[in-house]
Amino acid sequence: KNEEELQKKLLSLWQARRDRTILVQEYLNIDQEYAISGVCADQEIIIPAVVKKKRIAGYRRGITLMGELVSLEEIEEVRDAVYRFLQSLHYVGLFDLELMRVGNEIYFGEMNFRSGGPHYSYFASGVNLPLATVQAIHDGKPDEVPSIQLHKTFLNDSEAWADYQHGALNRSGLKRLYKEADILLLQNEEDPAPGKLYLHRARIAKAKLSIKSLLKK
């Protein structure tokens, strides 16, 4: 809980075995998390917007449940550092990068060299990052990316159902999330079949879990 307890613990571990190596990590009380999807074309970096996480999944901890697309001004103090870091990699392809705001500081979380969970929200808001990636790989330079529609809120509906199935979210809470969302990551009117199939399976899974719970009682 504090430095004194840490010193006591380290001393007891050292007395028990002096040849060990110990890694001490500082606990960070995160105020806000961000996810950034984009494309690297070596020195040209495309970041249309930042995902401001509004809610984190309860069943599978750490996964973005709901987020809002906001301007890069949200991370103004580290924006140039992010661009320099990405340029230093000389990477060509999609990426998913996470940042955390703790008080007045912004920390680097992780970077994945692939499409991230909130990625589809960019496409649904007017920017086709996979197309820009193909152009960067094939032509060495992507076409100019159009302006993105900001302040759209997306719902990771598969994680919302996982929370509902496992008791981290009740039925009214699930309905409320659907009402708040402008974008659903699975369901789309232009391609409805996958979303309908998922919902059918999700409802069956929820029913099975409810029956098991009743039988245990």
Side-chain angles (χ1 to χ4, degrees):
K1 294 181 180 179
N2 52 50
E3 186 176 346
E4 183 181 359
E5 282 192 11
L6 175 62
Q7 289 177 345
K8 286 182 179 179
K9 185 63 178 178
L10 290 173
L11 180 60
S12 67
L13 291 170
W14 179 73
Q15 289 172 338
R17 182 179 148 193
R18 301 191 179 192
D19 63 340
R20 75 173 79 207
T21 300
I22 296 170
L23 172 67
V24 178
Q25 293 182 301
E26 179 185 1
Y27 173 77
L28 297 177
N29 189 12
I30 299 170
D31 297 311
Q32 180 62 56
E33 292 186 63
Y34 302 101
I36 302 172
S37 291
V39 177
C40 288
D42 195 348
Q43 297 304 289
E44 183 175 351
I45 311 298
I46 298 172
I47 304 177
V50 174
V51 171
K52 186 176 183 179
K53 298 187 181 186
K54 299 179 72 173
R55 185 161 178 162
I56 306 298
Y59 175 62
R60 284 188 276 264
R61 298 292 181 91
I63 296 178
T64 307
L65 183 65
M66 179 170 270
E68 177 189 1
L69 286 170
V70 298
S71 165
L72 268 72
E73 291 179 3
E74 185 77 23
I75 58 163
E76 179 68 29
E77 60 266 55
V78 297
R79 181 172 61 177
D80 291 344
V82 168
Y83 276 92
R84 288 197 303 272
F85 164 65
L86 293 171
Q87 288 172 335
S88 73
L89 302 175
H90 298 283
Y91 170 62
V92 178
L94 280 167
F95 70 86
D96 177 67
L97 188 150
E98 299 215 346
L99 303 173
M100 301 169 289
R101 185 180 292 280
V102 181
N104 295 322
E105 301 290 336
I106 293 184
Y107 289 79
F108 173 82
E110 65 176 5
M111 179 173 174
N112 296 301
F113 296 91
R114 57 167 173 74
S115 171
H119 175 99
Y120 177 72
S121 63
Y122 287 75
F123 177 78
S125 299
V127 174
N128 191 334
L129 291 176
L131 174 61
T133 303
V134 171
Q135 292 169 342
I137 294 170
H138 186 266
D139 304 325
K141 181 179 177 63
D143 293 342
E144 185 176 348
V145 173
S147 297
I148 196 166
Q149 293 176 286
L150 295 176
H151 304 296
K152 282 197 170 187
T153 297
F154 71 85
L155 174 65
N156 190 339
D157 31 350
S158 65
E159 291 305 319
W161 273 90
D163 276 9
Y164 175 53
Q165 290 166 2
H166 295 276
L169 187 67
N170 59 29
R171 188 172 182 81
S172 62
L174 180 66
K175 288 183 177 179
R176 187 169 59 253
L177 290 179
Y178 269 89
K179 287 182 180 179
E180 292 176 10
D182 302 306
I183 300 165
L184 301 176
L185 297 192
L186 282 181
Q187 299 174 63
N188 188 300
E189 292 180 357
E190 295 180 5
D191 185 20
K196 288 180 179 179
L197 179 60
Y198 176 81
L199 282 178
H200 175 69
R201 292 178 176 176
R203 291 184 178 116
I204 291 174
K206 174 59 177 176
K208 287 180 177 180
L209 286 172
S210 298
I211 292 168
K212 285 182 180 180
S213 179
L214 289 172
L215 290 175
K216 286 180 181 179
K217 293 179 180 178

